[in-house]
Amino acid sequence: MTIRVLLADDQTLVREAFALLLESAPDMEVVGQAATGRQAVELARTERADLVVMDIRMPDLDGIEATRLIAADDDLAGVKVLVLTTYDTDENIVDALRAGASGFLVKDTRPAELLDAIRTVAAGDALLSPGPTARLIARFLRSPSVPVAAGPECLSDREREVLALVARGLNNAEIADALGLSPLTAKTHVSRTMGKLGVRDRAQLVIVAYESGLVAPGTP
């Protein structure tokens, strides 16, 4: 399937460079370009993109607020946001995740890594640059800000194990290997956990795990 991508960045040259890169991939199509956060929200609604590559520093409406509007719009429930920025501060990373972003990368990422990141997020997985760690997540997640249908206490023991592994950055194949499950079973557990907690993606699972205390900073 072709991944329909919307590019949001206030620098025309940067957008065009990203567009050329994405169009070179056989499984991607650039369906629009936005120079402001407000344009990104509007184009997400009209172009029906699968994923928005979102800068943070933009005029009119910044990328964090634009991400929040997209995530809160029921009509855009299937749209993923991958934040790509020069400003990889701890606050920006956590603000982006809280707003509903499914991934966070810095602009010095290699081209092949960006394409892989788009595929990862479009497939429903969360993705962070190597810099973000349990330390920064635990440091800034002091008060609940992700609305959840219930806490981890509603989960089975196996689902709690899966949630903890998701929070530590493991993908479905790695979770399956760690727990002695098939990849399909691991994926099913992740999906059921998301459903019970009422969250939209793995990034929000990470936040719930840390905010609930299920995973502590520094946990190996």
Side-chain angles (χ1 to χ4, degrees):
M1 294 180 61
T2 299
I3 303 171
R4 295 170 56 82
V5 181
L6 170 64
L7 298 173
D9 196 296
D10 63 336
Q11 299 182 38
T12 303
L13 188 59
V14 171
R15 291 199 313 273
E16 293 293 344
F18 286 155
L20 287 174
L21 171 64
L22 269 58
E23 291 289 1
S24 72
D27 57 342
M28 297 182 194
E29 176 188 3
V30 176
V31 296
Q33 297 187 32
T36 71
R38 200 167 303 280
Q39 286 180 2
V41 176
E42 293 172 354
L43 287 174
R45 290 171 176 154
T46 60
E47 299 302 327
R48 294 297 171 183
D50 299 311
L51 181 144
V52 182
V53 177
M54 184 83 74
D55 190 18
I56 289 181
R57 299 282 183 90
M58 289 187 291
D60 191 19
L61 189 71
D62 67 36
I64 300 296
E65 288 303 316
T67 298
R68 186 171 287 112
L69 289 176
I70 290 172
D73 191 330
D74 291 340
D75 290 336
L76 300 176
V79 180
K80 306 293 184 181
V81 176
L82 171 62
V83 171
L84 183 64
T85 182
T86 305
Y87 306 98
D88 60 337
T89 65
D90 291 357
E91 292 92 340
N92 280 341
I93 294 166
V94 175
D95 285 347
L97 293 178
R98 279 178 164 166
S102 297
F104 190 104
L105 284 178
V106 292
K107 285 184 177 176
D108 62 359
T109 298
R110 290 179 297 178
E113 291 175 343
L114 174 58
L115 296 179
D116 285 342
I118 290 172
R119 296 183 182 106
T120 297
V121 172
D125 288 335
L127 183 141
L128 297 174
S129 287
T133 62
R135 173 194 57 76
L136 76 87
I137 294 175
R139 176 182 172 191
F140 287 96
L141 298 182
R142 297 304 186 192
S143 59
S145 57
V146 176
V148 295
E153 63 275 3
C154 75
L155 304 176
S156 67
D157 290 342
R158 176 63 84 191
E159 288 164 347
R160 287 168 64 88
E161 288 180 319
V162 169
L163 175 58
L165 293 177
V166 169
R168 292 168 194 157
L170 275 65
N171 60 32
N172 289 345
E174 292 167 336
I175 291 172
D177 186 58
L179 298 179
L181 307 172
S182 71
L184 178 59
T185 299
K187 181 178 180 180
T188 298
H189 280 307
V190 172
S191 297
R192 286 177 179 171
T193 300
M194 290 171 58
K196 285 186 178 181
L197 295 175
V199 301
R200 56 180 276 146
D201 56 33
R202 295 169 76 104
Q204 291 193 340
L205 281 181
V206 173
I207 294 177
V208 171
Y210 278 97
E211 288 187 332
S212 68
L214 180 64
V215 177
T219 303

